[in-house]
């Protein structure tokens, strides 16, 4: 996979590997935040007393970007 990216993503396999590693790390970081947001929203929905509270809990979710 790294060899196929040479000349497209970066000029050498080392540079390609650095780009892929940075992308992987960024996705892990955002994944943790997304999962925490998802679980917090699920908890709020589960605790909602009625449909209106469920709609409110779902509408105030602040998904990371």
């Amino acid at each position: 996979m790294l060899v196929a990216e040479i000349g497209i993503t970066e000029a050498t396999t080392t540079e390609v590997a650095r780009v892929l590693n940075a992308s992987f790390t960024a996705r892990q970081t955002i994944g943790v935040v997304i999962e925490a947001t998802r679980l917090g929203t699920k908890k709020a929905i589960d605790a909602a007393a009625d449909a209106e509270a469920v709609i409110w809990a779902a509408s105030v979710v602040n998904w990371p970007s």
Side-chain angles (χ1 to χ4, degrees):
M1 180 174 141
L2 295 178
V3 174
E5 291 290 326
I6 295 173
I8 298 168
T9 302
E10 286 291 345
T12 68
T13 53
T14 300
E15 292 168 338
V16 170
R18 285 186 183 134
V19 168
L20 292 176
N21 188 53
S23 177
F24 174 76
T25 301
R27 288 181 183 188
Q28 281 187 314
T29 301
I30 194 70
V32 168
V33 176
I34 289 170
E35 185 65 3
T37 302
R38 185 188 75 78
L39 291 173
T41 302
K42 184 176 184 290
K43 183 177 181 179
I45 289 170
D46 288 343
D50 55 29
E52 190 173 297
V54 169
I55 292 168
W56 178 84
S59 70
V60 297
V61 178
N62 185 17
W63 292 106
S65 55

XYZ file of all heavy atoms in Angstrom:
475
model
N 0.815 -1.188 0.000
C 0.000 0.000 0.000
C 0.867 1.264 0.000
O 0.560 2.206 -0.706
C -0.918 -0.005 1.217
C -1.805 1.209 1.278
S -2.968 1.068 2.638
C -2.959 2.727 3.213
N 1.918 1.267 0.789
C 2.781 2.445 0.832
C 3.407 2.728 -0.524
O 3.465 3.880 -0.960
C 3.878 2.276 1.889
C 3.439 2.196 3.348
C 4.644 1.992 4.246
C 2.674 3.424 3.761
N 3.844 1.686 -1.193
C 4.502 1.861 -2.485
C 3.548 2.476 -3.503
O 3.939 3.326 -4.299
C 5.063 0.501 -2.993
C 5.627 0.628 -4.390
C 6.137 -0.003 -2.040
N 2.282 2.089 -3.463
C 1.295 2.626 -4.402
C 1.068 4.121 -4.201
O 0.659 4.815 -5.131
C -0.015 1.878 -4.257
N 1.347 4.621 -3.019
C 1.133 6.039 -2.718
C 2.329 6.926 -3.060
O 2.215 8.148 -3.035
C 0.792 6.201 -1.234
C -0.557 5.650 -0.851
C -1.706 6.464 -1.418
O -1.581 7.696 -1.542
O -2.734 5.847 -1.738
N 3.467 6.326 -3.356
C 4.658 7.113 -3.692
C 4.372 7.928 -4.948
O 3.896 7.421 -5.952
C 5.891 6.211 -3.904
C 6.262 5.527 -2.596
C 7.080 7.024 -4.419
C 7.354 4.494 -2.731
N 4.658 9.214 -4.853
C 4.425 10.113 -5.969
C 3.012 10.688 -5.987
O 2.728 11.626 -6.729
N 2.115 10.121 -5.200
C 0.743 10.634 -5.123
C 0.575 11.406 -3.818
O 0.248 12.587 -3.821
C -0.288 9.489 -5.199
C -0.158 8.762 -6.533
C -1.705 10.017 -4.989
C -0.922 7.463 -6.608
N 0.833 10.704 -2.722
C 0.698 11.323 -1.407
C 1.976 12.056 -1.021
O 1.934 13.189 -0.557
C 0.370 10.252 -0.349
O -0.834 9.600 -0.743
C 0.191 10.849 1.023
N 3.086 11.391 -1.195
C 4.414 11.948 -0.892
C 5.438 11.305 -1.817
O 5.106 10.404 -2.583
C 4.794 11.705 0.574
C 4.059 12.567 1.579
C 4.425 14.043 1.526
O 5.450 14.404 0.906
O 3.685 14.845 2.115
N 6.685 11.741 -1.690
C 7.725 11.303 -2.615
C 8.411 9.994 -2.214
O 8.957 9.307 -3.076
C 8.780 12.399 -2.776
N 8.402 9.644 -0.934
C 9.094 8.439 -0.477
C 8.178 7.614 0.424
O 7.179 8.121 0.939
C 10.368 8.787 0.331
O 9.973 9.395 1.565
C 11.289 9.721 -0.447
N 8.558 6.351 0.625
C 7.751 5.510 1.513
C 7.760 6.047 2.943
O 6.753 5.962 3.640
C 8.236 4.042 1.512
O 9.623 4.007 1.805
C 7.945 3.364 0.209
N 8.877 6.589 3.373
C 8.953 7.158 4.721
C 7.976 8.317 4.870
O 7.247 8.407 5.865
C 10.388 7.637 5.035
O 11.272 6.524 4.947
C 10.477 8.264 6.418
N 7.924 9.200 3.875
C 7.004 10.334 3.927
C 5.549 9.872 3.851
O 4.680 10.405 4.550
C 7.318 11.315 2.801
C 8.653 12.013 2.980
C 9.105 12.766 1.735
O 8.639 12.443 0.628
O 9.924 13.682 1.890
N 5.281 8.872 3.016
C 3.932 8.312 2.924
C 3.533 7.715 4.273
O 2.413 7.929 4.762
C 3.833 7.250 1.804
C 2.509 6.495 1.874
C 3.998 7.897 0.436
N 4.437 6.979 4.889
C 4.152 6.368 6.191
C 3.860 7.433 7.238
O 2.959 7.253 8.071
C 5.326 5.502 6.634
N 4.572 8.535 7.208
C 4.323 9.628 8.164
C 2.919 10.207 7.973
O 2.212 10.483 8.937
C 5.379 10.715 8.019
C 6.703 10.339 8.610
C 7.691 11.492 8.577
N 8.970 11.044 9.084
C 10.132 11.295 8.512
N 10.201 12.028 7.414
N 11.252 10.834 9.041
N 2.525 10.400 6.714
C 1.190 10.931 6.424
C 0.118 9.959 6.915
O -0.864 10.357 7.553
C 1.028 11.216 4.911
C -0.427 11.491 4.558
C 1.903 12.385 4.491
N 0.296 8.683 6.622
C -0.678 7.680 7.047
C -0.745 7.569 8.567
O -1.828 7.435 9.134
C -0.358 6.325 6.427
C -0.553 6.229 4.912
C -0.112 4.869 4.398
C -1.988 6.504 4.528
N 0.391 7.642 9.214
C 0.419 7.582 10.670
C -0.293 8.788 11.276
O -1.063 8.648 12.234
C 1.853 7.492 11.188
C 1.887 7.237 12.675
O 1.261 6.308 13.160
N 2.613 8.072 13.399
N -0.067 9.964 10.728
C -0.738 11.163 11.220
C -2.249 11.056 11.024
O -3.033 11.418 11.909
C -0.191 12.398 10.516
N -2.659 10.536 9.890
C -4.086 10.352 9.617
C -4.696 9.351 10.589
O -5.786 9.569 11.131
C -4.277 9.877 8.178
O -5.625 9.634 7.906
N -4.003 8.252 10.819
C -4.465 7.230 11.761
C -4.618 7.810 13.162
O -5.636 7.604 13.828
C -3.480 6.057 11.764
C -3.787 5.016 12.802
C -4.827 4.119 12.609
C -3.044 4.935 13.959
C -5.118 3.150 13.573
C -3.327 3.980 14.926
C -4.371 3.078 14.727
N -3.635 8.567 13.608
C -3.667 9.170 14.937
C -4.832 10.154 15.060
O -5.545 10.155 16.065
C -2.331 9.875 15.242
O -1.283 8.907 15.171
C -2.328 10.531 16.609
N -5.037 10.962 14.034
C -6.145 11.929 14.047
C -7.480 11.206 14.115
O -8.390 11.622 14.847
C -6.079 12.819 12.810
N -7.618 10.122 13.375
C -8.875 9.376 13.391
C -9.110 8.702 14.733
O -10.250 8.601 15.189
C -8.899 8.358 12.263
C -9.074 9.040 10.920
C -9.128 8.079 9.795
N -9.233 8.829 8.548
C -9.447 8.287 7.385
N -9.572 6.973 7.293
N -9.532 9.027 6.310
N -8.063 8.232 15.370
C -8.220 7.653 16.710
C -8.699 8.717 17.689
O -9.587 8.469 18.496
C -6.900 7.063 17.210
C -6.577 5.717 16.648
C -5.351 5.143 17.323
O -4.350 5.821 17.494
N -5.443 3.887 17.709
N -8.110 9.892 17.601
C -8.467 10.987 18.504
C -9.919 11.392 18.312
O -10.676 11.499 19.287
C -7.535 12.196 18.270
O -6.190 11.780 18.488
C -7.869 13.346 19.197
N -10.335 11.622 17.082
C -11.715 12.029 16.831
C -12.676 10.889 17.160
O -13.790 11.126 17.624
C -11.906 12.550 15.387
C -13.239 13.286 15.253
C -11.836 11.445 14.368
C -13.321 14.590 15.959
N -12.242 9.662 16.968
C -13.079 8.514 17.294
C -13.432 8.449 18.768
O -14.563 8.123 19.139
N -12.488 8.781 19.620
C -12.727 8.793 21.064
C -13.767 9.861 21.406
O -14.690 9.620 22.189
C -11.409 9.042 21.837
C -11.669 9.353 23.290
C -10.485 7.851 21.690
N -13.648 11.023 20.801
C -14.587 12.115 21.067
C -15.977 11.764 20.542
O -16.987 12.000 21.210
C -14.079 13.436 20.450
C -15.088 14.557 20.639
C -12.737 13.822 21.053
N -16.046 11.182 19.361
C -17.334 10.768 18.790
C -17.996 9.727 19.686
O -19.200 9.802 19.955
C -17.159 10.249 17.356
C -16.829 11.417 16.425
C -18.396 9.490 16.880
C -16.391 10.995 15.027
N -17.239 8.763 20.143
C -17.804 7.714 20.990
C -18.308 8.287 22.314
O -19.381 7.915 22.789
C -16.777 6.608 21.228
C -17.303 5.423 21.997
C -18.394 4.622 21.289
O -18.740 4.934 20.131
O -18.915 3.695 21.906
N -17.571 9.195 22.910
C -18.014 9.826 24.153
C -19.302 10.619 23.918
O -20.226 10.566 24.743
C -16.919 10.730 24.716
N -19.375 11.325 22.806
C -20.584 12.083 22.465
C -21.758 11.144 22.251
O -22.868 11.384 22.739
C -20.341 12.937 21.209
O -19.239 13.818 21.446
C -21.565 13.745 20.832
N -21.517 10.069 21.529
C -22.575 9.091 21.256
C -23.110 8.482 22.547
O -24.323 8.415 22.765
C -22.038 7.986 20.340
C -23.096 6.981 19.912
C -22.469 5.816 19.166
N -21.781 4.896 20.048
C -22.378 3.972 20.811
N -23.690 3.852 20.816
N -21.669 3.175 21.578
N -22.202 8.076 23.427
C -22.632 7.454 24.679
C -23.351 8.443 25.592
O -24.329 8.086 26.257
C -21.436 6.824 25.396
C -20.845 5.595 24.702
C -19.565 5.153 25.404
C -21.857 4.466 24.640
N -22.879 9.684 25.626
C -23.549 10.706 26.425
C -24.955 10.988 25.914
O -25.904 11.146 26.699
N -25.100 11.025 24.610
C -26.414 11.244 24.011
C -27.331 10.066 24.289
O -28.505 10.244 24.636
C -26.278 11.473 22.494
O -25.420 12.597 22.277
C -27.625 11.718 21.847
N -26.800 8.871 24.163
C -27.587 7.668 24.445
C -28.072 7.684 25.896
O -29.238 7.378 26.185
C -26.747 6.422 24.169
C -27.468 5.111 24.340
C -26.534 3.961 23.946
C -27.212 2.640 24.003
N -27.527 2.149 25.317
N -27.205 8.072 26.814
C -27.572 8.135 28.225
C -28.681 9.165 28.448
O -29.645 8.917 29.183
C -26.343 8.486 29.063
C -26.600 8.507 30.547
C -25.317 8.788 31.310
C -25.579 8.795 32.806
N -24.355 9.044 33.561
N -28.561 10.320 27.804
C -29.580 11.360 27.947
C -30.919 10.902 27.373
O -31.978 11.159 27.962
C -29.124 12.646 27.256
N -30.880 10.209 26.256
C -32.112 9.698 25.650
C -32.734 8.627 26.536
O -33.942 8.611 26.758
C -31.846 9.190 24.223
C -31.576 10.391 23.309
C -32.998 8.345 23.698
C -31.074 10.029 21.921
N -31.903 7.736 27.059
C -32.414 6.689 27.950
C -33.053 7.270 29.207
O -34.010 6.713 29.749
C -31.301 5.715 28.347
C -30.868 4.806 27.202
O -31.618 4.701 26.206
O -29.781 4.209 27.315
N -32.529 8.399 29.673
C -33.045 9.014 30.897
C -34.244 9.934 30.645
O -34.880 10.380 31.597
C -31.933 9.807 31.573
N -34.540 10.185 29.389
C -35.639 11.104 29.060
C -36.980 10.558 29.550
O -37.263 9.372 29.436
C -35.680 11.325 27.549
N -37.775 11.462 30.079
C -39.063 11.068 30.661
C -40.161 10.898 29.618
O -41.111 10.155 29.840
C -39.499 12.110 31.686
N -40.029 11.594 28.485
C -41.069 11.511 27.459
C -40.460 11.783 26.080
O -39.270 12.066 25.959
C -42.210 12.481 27.759
C -41.737 13.921 27.929
O -40.711 14.301 27.330
O -42.399 14.676 28.665
N -41.307 11.692 25.071
C -40.840 11.857 23.696
C -40.253 13.246 23.463
O -39.271 13.391 22.730
C -41.980 11.595 22.718
N -40.838 14.242 24.074
C -40.329 15.607 23.908
C -38.900 15.726 24.448
O -38.038 16.369 23.839
C -41.251 16.591 24.640
C -40.954 18.033 24.334
C -41.998 18.950 24.931
O -43.177 18.850 24.521
O -41.628 19.751 25.815
N -38.631 15.084 25.575
C -37.288 15.108 26.155
C -36.300 14.340 25.276
O -35.135 14.727 25.162
C -37.312 14.532 27.562
N -36.761 13.277 24.648
C -35.909 12.522 23.720
C -35.548 13.397 22.531
O -34.378 13.464 22.128
C -36.614 11.225 23.247
C -35.849 10.592 22.091
C -36.766 10.251 24.389
N -36.543 14.081 21.975
C -36.293 14.961 20.826
C -35.319 16.063 21.207
O -34.383 16.369 20.464
C -37.619 15.532 20.290
C -38.446 14.401 19.669
C -37.377 16.649 19.283
C -39.879 14.755 19.367
N -35.499 16.636 22.390
C -34.589 17.677 22.841
C -33.172 17.130 22.998
O -32.213 17.732 22.526
C -35.062 18.268 24.172
C -34.108 19.315 24.670
C -34.076 20.621 24.325
C -33.008 19.107 25.569
N -33.029 21.252 24.945
C -32.362 20.338 25.719
C -32.515 17.999 26.245
C -31.237 20.493 26.526
C -31.397 18.163 27.052
C -30.771 19.395 27.185
N -33.028 15.980 23.653
C -31.699 15.390 23.879
C -30.996 15.108 22.559
O -29.792 15.347 22.421
C -31.821 14.113 24.701
N -31.737 14.639 21.591
C -31.140 14.337 20.289
C -30.799 15.609 19.518
O -29.845 15.631 18.732
C -32.084 13.461 19.468
N -31.539 16.662 19.752
C -31.329 17.895 18.974
C -30.180 18.754 19.490
O -29.695 19.625 18.765
C -32.612 18.734 18.947
O -32.875 19.281 20.215
N -29.751 18.535 20.709
C -28.683 19.366 21.274
C -27.312 18.704 21.223
O -26.352 19.222 21.769
C -29.001 19.808 22.725
C -30.233 20.672 22.769
C -29.106 18.621 23.655
N -27.218 17.589 20.535
C -25.936 16.893 20.426
C -24.956 17.791 19.688
O -25.266 18.355 18.639
C -26.087 15.553 19.671
C -24.739 14.871 19.530
C -27.074 14.661 20.371
N -23.764 17.907 20.218
C -22.717 18.723 19.595
C -21.644 17.781 19.050
O -20.641 17.510 19.712
C -22.128 19.696 20.624
C -21.144 20.641 20.003
O -21.098 20.811 18.789
N -20.341 21.258 20.835
N -21.894 17.282 17.837
C -20.945 16.351 17.226
C -19.654 17.057 16.871
O -19.677 18.174 16.348
C -21.542 15.723 15.962
C -22.682 14.808 16.265
C -23.995 15.047 16.058
C -22.607 13.502 16.847
N -24.748 13.974 16.474
C -23.917 13.024 16.971
C -21.549 12.707 17.299
C -24.216 11.767 17.501
C -21.847 11.457 17.829
C -23.151 10.999 17.933
N -18.537 16.434 17.148
C -17.245 17.044 16.793
C -17.059 17.069 15.287
O -17.626 16.265 14.556
C -16.225 16.119 17.451
C -16.925 14.819 17.590
C -18.384 15.124 17.767
N -16.284 18.009 14.856
C -16.010 18.092 13.420
C -14.518 18.095 13.159
O -13.723 18.202 14.016
C -16.629 19.351 12.834
O -16.201 20.501 13.520
